[in-house]
Amino acid sequence: MSRAAACGCLSAEVSVRIVRYSIGGVCHYGELEAGDARIARFEGDPFTGIRPTGDIDEVGEVRILPPLERPRIFGFAYNYASHIDETDRDVPEVPVVFMKPSTAMAGPGDAIVYPADGELIHFEGELVVVIGKEARHVKPSEAHEYILGYTCGNDVSDRIIQRKESKFGALLIGKGQDTFAPMGPVIATDLDSSRLSLTTRVNGTVKQSASTADLLLAVPGIVSYLSRHLTLLPGDAIMTGTPSGVGPIRPGDEVEVEIEGIGVLRNRVVAEGR
């Protein structure tokens, strides 16, 4: 059962795409309906309880926001064999986990800011897990009970700083600058995360094409591993890793991350203003 269903607004069999948006300066959650033109507004939030209000908002009249408000962001590195191969590294003995600051979050349509002193900034298309309720010592077979849903993510990385930090076991600045964690456009509930197609395009050209079936540590194992060592909280976001094909972006580029059952996360790259 999804967390949305557990909140009492939906049946366990219903899969919805939850969108966070603002209209008239007020933030709401709602369900993005088929055709992506209308949003059925909810009362409340998906972590404490949501119920349909009966109001319908037109997508063209709202601003789509990041699906989460300043979440804790966990990232899994080297979780696809193909990406390990292209980085010429060994398969890790244990999962390699890092964190991005909540301020790295950006939403669909928001700009990815290319740092003024940036030299080599890369995109990384990823499936993102959204935690729906507090989780500790969760078995892989139980992980689905703690997952609200899934969204698209882009683990933007400054490779020059990342490589320098990595020599000393750190990844903060290389991974965590403002706008380096775009996510969206929706949180899709009740998806089977075991075999979703993932495609990343830059300026319309396909750069990554993979399936989540190729994850070395699949979603249930990811949730179990993290919850074994720390408490996961409602609204936490877990970036599950990127497949091969990562590469550079520059100001003026448009990056699209598309995941089956979720949609397309689209962001333009802009130069930092000083």
Side-chain angles (χ1 to χ4, degrees), residues 146-198:
Y146 297 85
I147 295 171
L148 170 66
Y150 303 88
T151 192
C152 304
N154 186 350
D155 177 20
V156 181
S157 306
D158 185 320
R159 296 300 190 210
I160 302 300
I161 296 178
Q162 179 185 346
R163 290 165 185 165
K164 292 177 180 179
E165 287 183 310
S166 294
K167 292 179 181 179
F168 298 93
L171 279 176
L172 179 60
I173 305 303
K175 292 281 192 178
Q177 298 184 49
D178 287 2
T179 75
F180 271 27
M183 294 184 198
V186 302
I187 301 170
T189 69
D190 294 293
L191 286 184
D192 179 0
S193 65
S194 65
R195 196 174 295 273
L196 297 173
S197 63
L198 183 157

Coordinates of all heavy atoms in Angstrom, one line a residue, residues 146-198:
Y146 N 7.0 2.0 3.3 CA 7.6 3.2 3.8 C 7.8 4.2 2.6 O 8.3 5.3 2.9 CB 8.9 3.0 4.6 CG 8.7 2.2 5.8 CD1 8.6 0.8 5.7 CD2 8.4 2.8 7.0 CE1 8.4 0.0 6.9 CE2 8.2 2.0 8.2 CZ 8.2 0.6 8.1 OH 7.9 -0.1 9.2
I147 N 7.5 3.8 1.4 CA 7.8 4.6 0.3 C 6.5 5.3 -0.2 O 5.5 4.7 -0.4 CB 8.3 3.8 -0.9 CG1 9.7 3.2 -0.5 CG2 8.4 4.6 -2.2 CD1 10.2 2.2 -1.5
L148 N 6.5 6.7 -0.2 CA 5.4 7.4 -0.8 C 5.3 7.2 -2.3 O 4.2 6.9 -2.8 CB 5.5 8.9 -0.4 CG 4.5 9.8 -1.1 CD1 3.1 9.5 -0.6 CD2 4.8 11.3 -0.9
G149 N 6.4 7.4 -3.0 CA 6.4 7.2 -4.4 C 7.8 7.6 -5.0 O 8.8 7.5 -4.3
Y150 N 7.8 7.9 -6.3 CA 9.1 8.1 -7.0 C 9.0 9.4 -7.8 O 7.9 9.8 -8.3 CB 9.3 6.9 -7.9 CG 9.4 5.6 -7.1 CD1 8.2 4.9 -6.9 CD2 10.6 5.1 -6.6 CE1 8.2 3.7 -6.2 CE2 10.6 3.9 -5.9 CZ 9.4 3.2 -5.7 OH 9.5 2.0 -5.0
T151 N 10.1 10.0 -8.1 CA 10.2 11.1 -8.9 C 11.5 11.0 -9.7 O 12.4 10.2 -9.5 CB 10.1 12.5 -8.2 OG1 9.9 13.5 -9.1 CG2 11.3 12.7 -7.3
C152 N 11.6 11.9 -10.7 CA 12.8 12.0 -11.5 C 13.8 13.0 -10.8 O 13.4 13.9 -10.2 CB 12.6 12.6 -12.9 SG 11.3 11.7 -13.9
G153 N 15.1 12.7 -11.0 CA 16.2 13.5 -10.4 C 17.4 13.7 -11.3 O 17.6 12.8 -12.2
N154 N 18.1 14.7 -11.0 CA 19.3 15.0 -11.8 C 20.4 15.3 -10.8 O 20.4 16.4 -10.1 CB 19.1 16.1 -12.8 CG 20.3 16.4 -13.7 OD1 21.4 15.8 -13.5 ND2 20.1 17.2 -14.7
D155 N 21.4 14.4 -10.6 CA 22.4 14.6 -9.6 C 23.6 15.4 -10.3 O 24.6 14.9 -10.6 CB 22.9 13.2 -9.1 CG 24.1 13.4 -8.2 OD1 24.3 14.4 -7.6 OD2 24.8 12.3 -8.0
V156 N 23.3 16.7 -10.4 CA 24.3 17.6 -11.0 C 25.6 17.6 -10.2 O 25.6 17.7 -9.0 CB 23.7 19.0 -11.2 CG1 24.7 19.9 -11.9 CG2 22.4 19.0 -12.0
S157 N 26.7 17.5 -10.9 CA 28.0 17.4 -10.2 C 29.1 18.2 -10.8 O 29.2 18.3 -12.1 CB 28.5 15.9 -10.3 OG 27.4 15.0 -9.8
D158 N 29.9 18.9 -10.0 CA 31.1 19.6 -10.4 C 32.2 18.7 -10.3 O 32.7 18.4 -9.2 CB 31.3 20.8 -9.5 CG 32.4 21.7 -9.9 OD1 33.5 21.2 -10.4 OD2 32.3 23.0 -9.8
R159 N 32.6 18.1 -11.4 CA 33.6 17.0 -11.4 C 35.0 17.5 -10.9 O 35.7 16.7 -10.3 CB 33.8 16.4 -12.8 CG 32.6 15.8 -13.4 CD 32.1 14.6 -12.5 NE 31.1 13.8 -13.2 CZ 30.1 13.2 -12.5 NH1 30.1 13.2 -11.2 NH2 29.2 12.5 -13.2
I160 N 35.4 18.7 -11.2 CA 36.7 19.2 -10.8 C 36.8 19.2 -9.2 O 37.7 18.6 -8.6 CB 37.0 20.5 -11.3 CG1 37.0 20.5 -12.9 CG2 38.4 21.0 -10.9 CD1 38.0 19.6 -13.5
I161 N 35.8 19.8 -8.6 CA 35.8 19.9 -7.2 C 35.5 18.5 -6.6 O 36.2 18.1 -5.6 CB 34.7 20.8 -6.7 CG1 35.0 22.3 -7.1 CG2 34.6 20.8 -5.1 CD1 34.0 23.3 -6.7
Q162 N 34.6 17.7 -7.2 CA 34.3 16.4 -6.7 C 35.6 15.5 -6.7 O 35.8 14.8 -5.7 CB 33.3 15.7 -7.6 CG 32.9 14.3 -7.2 CD 32.0 13.6 -8.2 OE1 31.4 14.3 -9.1 NE2 31.9 12.3 -8.1
R163 N 36.4 15.5 -7.7 CA 37.6 14.7 -7.7 C 38.6 15.1 -6.6 O 39.2 14.3 -6.0 CB 38.2 14.8 -9.1 CG 37.4 14.0 -10.2 CD 37.8 14.4 -11.6 NE 36.9 13.8 -12.6 CZ 36.9 14.2 -13.8 NH1 37.7 15.2 -14.3 NH2 36.0 13.6 -14.7
K164 N 38.7 16.4 -6.4 CA 39.6 16.9 -5.4 C 39.1 16.5 -4.0 O 39.9 16.1 -3.1 CB 39.8 18.4 -5.5 CG 40.5 18.9 -6.7 CD 40.6 20.4 -6.8 CE 41.4 20.8 -8.1 NZ 41.4 22.3 -8.2
E165 N 37.8 16.7 -3.8 CA 37.2 16.3 -2.5 C 37.3 14.8 -2.2 O 37.6 14.3 -1.1 CB 35.7 16.7 -2.4 CG 35.4 18.1 -2.3 CD 33.9 18.4 -2.2 OE1 33.2 17.9 -3.0 OE2 33.5 19.1 -1.3
S166 N 37.1 14.0 -3.3 CA 37.0 12.5 -3.2 C 38.3 12.0 -2.6 O 38.3 10.9 -2.0 CB 36.6 11.9 -4.5 OG 35.3 12.2 -4.9
K167 N 39.4 12.6 -3.0 CA 40.7 12.2 -2.5 C 40.8 12.1 -0.9 O 41.6 11.4 -0.4 CB 41.8 13.1 -3.0 CG 42.1 13.0 -4.5 CD 43.2 13.9 -5.0 CE 43.4 13.8 -6.5 NZ 44.4 14.7 -6.9
F168 N 39.9 12.9 -0.3 CA 39.9 13.0 1.2 C 38.6 12.5 1.7 O 38.2 12.8 2.9 CB 40.2 14.5 1.6 CG 41.5 14.9 1.1 CD1 41.7 15.6 -0.1 CD2 42.7 14.7 1.9 CE1 43.0 16.1 -0.5 CE2 43.9 15.1 1.5 CZ 44.1 15.8 0.3
G169 N 37.8 11.8 0.9 CA 36.6 11.2 1.4 C 35.4 12.1 1.5 O 34.5 11.8 2.3
A170 N 35.4 13.2 0.8 CA 34.3 14.1 0.9 C 33.6 14.3 -0.5 O 34.2 14.1 -1.5 CB 34.8 15.5 1.4
L171 N 32.4 14.8 -0.4 CA 31.6 15.0 -1.7 C 30.7 16.2 -1.6 O 29.8 16.3 -2.4 CB 30.8 13.8 -2.1 CG 31.5 12.6 -2.7 CD1 30.6 11.4 -2.9 CD2 32.1 13.0 -4.1
L172 N 30.9 17.1 -0.6 CA 29.8 18.1 -0.4 C 29.7 19.1 -1.5 O 28.6 19.3 -2.1 CB 30.1 18.7 1.0 CG 29.1 19.8 1.4 CD1 27.7 19.3 1.4 CD2 29.5 20.5 2.7
I173 N 30.8 19.9 -1.7 CA 30.7 21.0 -2.7 C 30.5 20.5 -4.1 O 29.8 21.1 -4.9 CB 31.9 21.9 -2.5 CG1 32.1 22.4 -1.1 CG2 31.7 23.1 -3.5 CD1 30.8 23.1 -0.5
G174 N 31.2 19.4 -4.5 CA 31.1 18.9 -5.8 C 29.7 18.4 -6.2 O 29.3 18.4 -7.3
K175 N 28.9 18.1 -5.1 CA 27.6 17.6 -5.4 C 26.5 18.5 -4.9 O 25.3 18.3 -5.3 CB 27.4 16.2 -4.7 CG 28.2 15.1 -5.2 CD 27.6 14.5 -6.5 CE 28.2 13.2 -6.9 NZ 27.5 12.7 -8.1
G176 N 26.8 19.4 -3.9 CA 25.8 20.1 -3.2 C 25.5 21.5 -3.4 O 24.8 22.2 -2.6
Q177 N 26.0 22.1 -4.5 CA 25.8 23.5 -4.7 C 24.3 23.8 -5.0 O 23.5 22.9 -5.4 CB 26.7 24.0 -5.9 CG 28.1 23.8 -5.6 CD 29.0 24.4 -6.7 OE1 28.9 25.5 -7.1 NE2 30.0 23.6 -7.1
D178 N 23.9 25.0 -4.8 CA 22.5 25.4 -5.1 C 22.1 25.0 -6.5 O 22.8 25.2 -7.5 CB 22.3 26.9 -4.9 CG 22.3 27.3 -3.5 OD1 22.5 26.5 -2.6 OD2 22.2 28.5 -3.2
T179 N 20.9 24.4 -6.6 CA 20.3 23.9 -7.9 C 20.9 22.6 -8.4 O 20.5 22.2 -9.5 CB 20.3 25.0 -9.0 OG1 21.6 25.1 -9.6 CG2 19.8 26.3 -8.5
F180 N 21.8 22.0 -7.7 CA 22.4 20.8 -8.1 C 21.6 19.5 -7.9 O 22.1 18.4 -8.0 CB 23.8 20.6 -7.5 CG 24.9 21.3 -8.3 CD1 24.7 22.4 -9.1 CD2 26.2 20.8 -8.2 CE1 25.7 23.0 -9.8 CE2 27.3 21.5 -8.9 CZ 27.0 22.5 -9.7
A181 N 20.3 19.7 -7.5 CA 19.4 18.5 -7.3 C 18.0 18.8 -7.8 O 17.1 18.8 -7.1 CB 19.4 18.1 -5.8
P182 N 17.9 19.0 -9.1 CA 16.6 19.1 -9.7 C 15.8 17.8 -9.5 O 16.3 16.7 -9.7 CB 16.8 19.4 -11.2 CG 18.2 19.9 -11.2 CD 18.9 19.1 -10.1
M183 N 14.5 18.0 -9.2 CA 13.6 16.8 -9.0 C 12.2 17.2 -9.5 O 11.8 18.4 -9.5 CB 13.5 16.4 -7.6 CG 14.7 15.8 -7.0 SD 14.5 15.2 -5.3 CE 16.2 15.2 -4.7
G184 N 11.4 16.2 -10.0 CA 10.1 16.4 -10.4 C 9.8 15.6 -11.7 O 10.6 14.7 -12.1
P185 N 8.7 15.9 -12.3 CA 7.7 16.9 -12.0 C 6.7 16.5 -11.0 O 6.0 17.3 -10.4 CB 7.0 17.2 -13.4 CG 7.1 15.9 -14.1 CD 8.4 15.2 -13.6
V186 N 6.6 15.2 -10.7 CA 5.5 14.7 -9.8 C 6.2 13.6 -8.9 O 7.3 13.1 -9.2 CB 4.3 14.0 -10.6 CG1 3.7 15.0 -11.5 CG2 4.8 12.8 -11.4
I187 N 5.4 13.2 -7.9 CA 5.7 12.0 -7.1 C 4.7 11.0 -7.6 O 3.5 11.1 -7.3 CB 5.6 12.2 -5.6 CG1 6.6 13.3 -5.2 CG2 5.9 10.9 -4.9 CD1 6.4 13.8 -3.8
A188 N 5.1 9.9 -8.2 CA 4.3 8.9 -8.7 C 4.2 7.7 -7.7 O 5.2 7.2 -7.3 CB 4.7 8.3 -10.1
T189 N 3.0 7.4 -7.3 CA 2.8 6.4 -6.3 C 2.6 5.0 -6.9 O 2.2 4.9 -8.1 CB 1.6 6.7 -5.3 OG1 0.4 6.6 -6.1 CG2 1.7 8.1 -4.8
D190 N 2.8 4.0 -6.1 CA 2.5 2.6 -6.5 C 3.1 2.2 -7.8 O 2.5 1.5 -8.6 CB 1.0 2.4 -6.6 CG 0.3 2.5 -5.2 OD1 0.6 1.7 -4.4 OD2 -0.4 3.5 -5.0
L191 N 4.4 2.6 -8.1 CA 5.1 2.1 -9.2 C 5.9 0.9 -8.9 O 6.4 0.8 -7.7 CB 6.1 3.2 -9.8 CG 5.5 4.4 -10.5 CD1 6.7 5.3 -11.0 CD2 4.6 4.0 -11.7
D192 N 6.1 0.0 -9.8 CA 7.1 -1.1 -9.6 C 8.4 -0.6 -10.1 O 8.7 -0.4 -11.2 CB 6.6 -2.3 -10.5 CG 7.6 -3.4 -10.4 OD1 8.6 -3.3 -9.6 OD2 7.4 -4.5 -11.1
S193 N 9.3 -0.3 -9.1 CA 10.6 0.3 -9.3 C 11.6 -0.6 -9.9 O 12.7 -0.2 -10.2 CB 11.1 0.9 -8.0 OG 11.4 -0.1 -7.1
S194 N 11.3 -1.9 -10.1 CA 12.3 -2.9 -10.4 C 12.6 -2.9 -11.9 O 13.7 -3.4 -12.3 CB 11.8 -4.3 -10.1 OG 10.6 -4.7 -10.8
R195 N 11.8 -2.2 -12.7 CA 12.1 -2.3 -14.2 C 11.5 -1.1 -14.9 O 10.6 -1.2 -15.8 CB 11.6 -3.6 -14.8 CG 12.1 -3.9 -16.2 CD 11.7 -5.3 -16.6 NE 12.2 -6.4 -15.7 CZ 13.4 -6.9 -15.9 NH1 14.1 -6.6 -16.9 NH2 13.8 -7.9 -15.1
L196 N 12.0 0.1 -14.5 CA 11.5 1.3 -15.1 C 12.6 1.8 -16.1 O 13.8 1.9 -15.8 CB 11.3 2.4 -14.1 CG 10.2 2.1 -13.0 CD1 10.2 3.2 -12.0 CD2 8.8 2.0 -13.7
S197 N 12.1 2.3 -17.3 CA 13.1 2.9 -18.3 C 13.4 4.3 -17.9 O 12.6 5.0 -17.4 CB 12.5 2.9 -19.7 OG 11.3 3.7 -19.7
L198 N 14.7 4.6 -18.0 CA 15.2 5.9 -17.7 C 16.0 6.5 -18.9 O 16.9 5.8 -19.4 CB 16.1 5.8 -16.5 CG 16.7 7.1 -15.9 CD1 17.1 6.9 -14.4 CD2 18.0 7.6 -16.6

